[in-house]
Amino acid sequence: MRKTQIVKKAKGPAKITLKAPWEIDLLRKANAIVAEVLYTLKETIAPGVSAWDLNRIAEEIVQKRGALPAFKGYRGYPFSLCVSVNEEVVHGMPLKEKVLKEGDIVSLDFGAVYEGYVGDAALTVAVGEISEEAQRLMEVTEEALYRAIDKARIGNRVQDISATIQNVAEKAGFNVIRDFVGHGIGRNLHEPPEVPNFGRRGKGPKLMAGMVLAIEPMVVTGDYAIEILPDGWTAVTKDRGLAAHFEHSVVITPKGPEILSKI
Ligand code: MF3
Ligand code: CO
């Protein structure tokens, strides 16, 4: 999600909702549909495939499962799937003319609403043979996600997740995006708290059982500055360095983190 630009109201930050077990069951179902879509698209990706086809396949699956696409119509976004190629960080549009080619890395981001509850996940896929740098970027970003998920435990704080992502990315010589953040999720796609991909250990809201977070590292090979293309959506790196994006929706339980969007 876009990092909040507006100043917090005098009332203070909106509060984080804790989900009941029955709500977590519905979130698990919504995320299982998201995982099925992403897995199917990952298997479909090859040189010559159009992002448009991927969006269509995603819509077929979500409909077959009795769910709705979460992104379509969200703040006016006109598609169900985001397809972001190479220097595109997030919110790339699945246009017919966006045809994948050997050597590309492509980030797929999908959300589904099932019985009023929203699932959200993303991954980055290689198209055929890719450069060593692109390969390492994808591996580091995915590792940052899993290391961060391991911090999603009662007693830790939101920025323990953030700092872990930043640390993994920067130790590898990469940078994290500042303008987009992870988020709470539930009946709404974006709920408090924001989950930045950078921060300081021990800071931010305390993590509690029943919190559901979409943790989504966006990592780039170059500078973290981004710009939005004239289409009003596609975020690209200013220096046109490569970007990768991995995301899971995770519930915090007394036994530790549970990944709801596991493939
Ligand atoms: N996973 C992205 C996010 O949390 C997807 C949003 S795309 C949008 O912001 F179109 F819905 F905005
Ligand atoms: Co998200």
Side-chain angles (χ1 to χ4, degrees), residues 1 71 109 120-121 181-183 185 189-190 214 216 245 247:
M1 67 176 281
F71 302 166
D109 191 350
D120 184 13
V181 294
H183 48 94
I185 189 164
L189 173 60
H190 296 145
E216 48 181 318
H245 179 206
E247 174 178 22

Side-chain angles (χ1 to χ4, degrees), residues 24-183:
I24 292 165
D25 282 339
L26 291 176
L27 286 164
R28 204 178 277 111
K29 287 177 180 151
N31 278 292
I33 297 163
V34 172
E36 182 189 355
V37 166
L38 291 176
Y39 177 77
T40 306
L41 298 181
K42 185 179 175 174
E43 296 300 299
T44 304
I45 277 183
V49 171
S50 160
W52 175 270
D53 300 322
L54 301 175
N55 183 72
R56 187 178 39 76
I57 294 166
E59 289 189 346
E60 281 167 15
I61 296 171
V62 82
Q63 189 182 353
K64 194 166 68 189
R65 296 291 176 244
L68 291 168
F71 302 166
K72 200 170 192 164
Y74 186 85
R75 293 174 184 256
Y77 185 71
F79 300 98
S80 299
L81 179 72
C82 297
V83 181
S84 308
V85 179
N86 297 335
E87 72 279 4
E88 297 175 354
V89 183
V90 286
H91 304 165
M93 303 218 258
L95 304 178
K96 266 201 181 114
E97 56 269 30
K98 193 180 274 186
V99 176
L100 304 177
K101 58 181 197 304
E102 178 101 17
D104 286 342
I105 57 170
V106 51
S107 299
L108 305 171
D109 191 350
F110 188 72
V113 190
Y114 185 77
E115 292 188 14
Y117 284 80
V118 188
D120 184 13
L123 46 71
T124 302
V125 186
V127 185
E129 191 86 5
I130 61 171
S131 71
E132 237 170 78
E133 187 188 43
Q135 184 64 44
R136 206 168 60 82
L137 176 69
M138 287 176 51
E139 284 167 8
V140 166
T141 309
E142 190 169 23
E143 196 205 331
L145 173 59
Y146 283 98
R147 293 264 303 273
I149 289 170
D150 190 57
K151 303 290 183 203
R153 294 176 185 277
I154 298 167
N156 282 352
R157 288 176 181 266
V158 165
Q159 288 190 36
D160 292 319
I161 293 169
S162 309
T164 299
I165 292 168
Q166 181 174 19
N167 196 37
V168 172
E170 290 181 356
K171 277 216 163 107
F174 298 137
N175 283 302
V176 293
I177 293 292
R178 307 303 207 250
D179 294 332
F180 296 96
V181 294
H183 48 94

Side-chain angles (χ1 to χ4, degrees), residues 152 161 183-185 193 195 207 211-215 248-252:
I161 293 169
H183 48 94
I185 189 164
V195 184
L207 301 180
M211 277 187 191
V212 181
L213 302 176
I215 302 174
H248 273 309
S249 294
V250 176
V251 59
I252 295 161

